[in-house]
Amino acid sequence: MAMISTYLNPSSQLSGPKSCTAASPPLFSGLRRSSASLSTTQSFFHSVNSHTLRSSSSSNRTSRGIVAMAGSGKFFVGGNWKCNGTKDSIKQLVSDLNSATLEPDVDVVVGPPFVYIDQVKNSLTDRIEIAAQNSWIGKGGAFTGEISAEQLKDIGCKWVILGHSERRHVIGEDDQFIGKKAAYALGQDLGVIACIGELLEEREAGKTFDVYAVPSWDNIVIAYEPVWAIGTGKVASPEQAQEVHVAVRDWLAKNVSPEVASKTRIIYGGSVNAGNSADLAKKEDIDGFLVGGASLKGADFATIINSVTAKKVAA
Ligand code: PEP
């Protein structure tokens, strides 16, 4: 497979005509592709402004009476356990998940801390797949503290979460680094849950995401996670999330292909819980969730997974 570096990061412009070009580096970055050697990253910067958002035909989807999925991909719910848990608490969580009744038409993934992946893999129902929360940029070797995509595959991981805001803004990972990780993980046939999302000051400046072209979209789920909503209890409104998801899907349709726009799952993350997931799920372009805190409670996570049923009822 051609080596493709894919990475996502926030921005699009909800207001103001501040369009960015390759000549004026963007404040935020998005989906990119690198050269085959991965030694340089060739990026294609695109911005979407509020006028484009509101005038696009697909944004009219919000007014439909019957809720359906705009995309053709299966509803997808991921649980990001972050740096939480002990052997005992994870045993309990796995037991709760194993006994939960889950709607069949949902792809479900959980991301335990590395050290518990094996425990989870050996005790969790096969109904739920496993994601790692990070992976190295290449083949393993003398890289102290890192975990390679090959090792993740070896212990049964199917997915890896990359570009999470905590890795960007707390650990300090930049787009180039994340892009290399994504490229390598995709090349090893790991699915990538690629996170994008704006900081509060970026949203206040009218920006939510930037998107860069990538040539391979087969194994990517895009998680729109506004940073101001992650772990804050301040969830985006269904309308706010829908607006950005529509913009991402429109961008994919125009810049990649209608097929990719249709099949790529665009999921929302940021303070999703058992009480708000149904209202979010009703939005046509919300294809699922990436869940942090609430994924640590089996019953709540199951409720969020089962919010897929909200898509099947009249709005
Ligand atoms: C996350 O970390 O991806 C996340 C969405 O966290 P929370 O649900 O706790 O806001």
Side-chain angles (χ1 to χ4, degrees):
M1 153 186 170
M3 293 303 292
I4 294 159
S5 174
T6 308
Y7 54 105
L8 305 93
N9 198 349
S11 116
S12 130
Q13 300 185 352
L14 288 181
S15 62
K18 300 177 205 154
S19 93
C20 298
T21 67
S24 65
L27 284 173
F28 327 108
S29 58
L31 306 184
R32 295 187 179 183
R33 76 178 167 208
S34 75
S35 64
S37 69
L38 294 181
S39 59
T40 60
T41 301
Q42 184 184 9
S43 63
F44 298 87
F45 179 76
H46 301 264
S47 62
V48 183
N49 65 31
S50 56
H51 178 74
T52 308
L53 281 169
R54 291 185 192 118
S55 63
S56 71
S57 57
S58 54
S59 60
N60 294 334
R61 288 196 291 263
T62 51
S63 61
R64 280 189 198 167
I66 301 297
V67 176
M69 287 181 79
S72 57
K74 202 171 174 184
F75 204 69
F76 183 105
V77 178
N80 177 10
W81 296 357
K82 309 193 186 187
C83 187
N84 290 299
T86 61
K87 279 197 287 188
D88 284 347
S89 71
I90 284 174
K91 186 175 173 195
Q92 182 63 51
L93 179 51
V94 166
S95 159
D96 293 345
L97 292 173
N98 285 344
S99 57
T101 303
L102 305 180
E103 290 291 322
D105 47 354
V106 185
D107 284 340
V108 185
V109 172
V110 293
F114 284 125
V115 291
Y116 300 118
I117 287 177
D118 209 36
Q119 177 189 340
V120 174
K121 179 66 190 158
N122 291 328
S123 54
L124 185 65
T125 166
D126 289 344
R127 165 75 184 83
I128 301 177
E129 294 186 329
I130 313 274
Q133 298 175 23
N134 191 19
S135 59
W136 178 234
I137 59 171
K139 200 170 160 55
F143 305 105
T144 303
E146 292 297 332
I147 309 283
S148 72
E150 288 89 341
Q151 290 171 324
L152 296 177
K153 293 257 303 185
D154 189 38
I155 57 168
C157 281
K158 296 269 171 56
W159 296 88
V160 60
I161 300 168
L162 293 174
H164 192 279
S165 74
E166 285 147 16
R167 298 220 54 97
R168 292 180 188 279
H169 301 300
V170 181
I171 314 290
E173 291 186 4
D174 66 15
D175 294 333
Q176 194 169 7
F177 194 54
I178 296 164
K180 286 180 182 171
K181 291 179 177 189
Y184 199 79
L186 288 167
Q188 295 302 313
D189 290 328
L190 281 178
V192 171
I193 302 171
C195 303
I196 59 174
E198 79 281 3
L199 295 164
L200 182 58
E201 56 265 34
E202 292 168 346
R203 172 158 280 266
E204 286 170 347
K207 298 175 180 180
T208 55
F209 74 95
D210 287 340
V211 185
Y212 290 80
V214 292
S216 172
W217 290 85
D218 288 343
N219 232 355
I220 299 176
V221 170
I222 297 177
Y224 169 57
E225 299 206 299
V227 180
W228 48 269
I230 296 178
T232 60
K234 197 174 170 183
V235 65
S237 70
E239 292 72 27
Q240 283 175 317
Q242 167 70 9
E243 182 181 36
V244 177
H245 286 220
V246 167
V248 173
R249 204 182 303 283
D250 282 354
W251 186 92
L252 291 171
K254 285 180 192 130
N255 295 282
V256 185
S257 73
E259 291 70 31
V260 166
S262 172
K263 79 175 186 192
T264 301
R265 273 83 64 89
I266 305 169
I267 63 176
Y268 168 79
S271 297
V272 174
N273 61 38
N276 60 29
S277 56
D279 280 346
L280 287 157
K282 284 176 188 167
K283 291 298 181 187
E284 195 175 354
D285 286 272
I286 297 180
D287 301 329
F289 302 110
L290 184 56
V291 186
S295 71
L296 298 170
K297 299 173 199 146
D300 287 8
F301 191 56
T303 300
I304 294 166
I305 293 163
N306 292 337
S307 68
V308 68
T309 56
K311 286 209 162 303
K312 300 169 189 165
V313 298

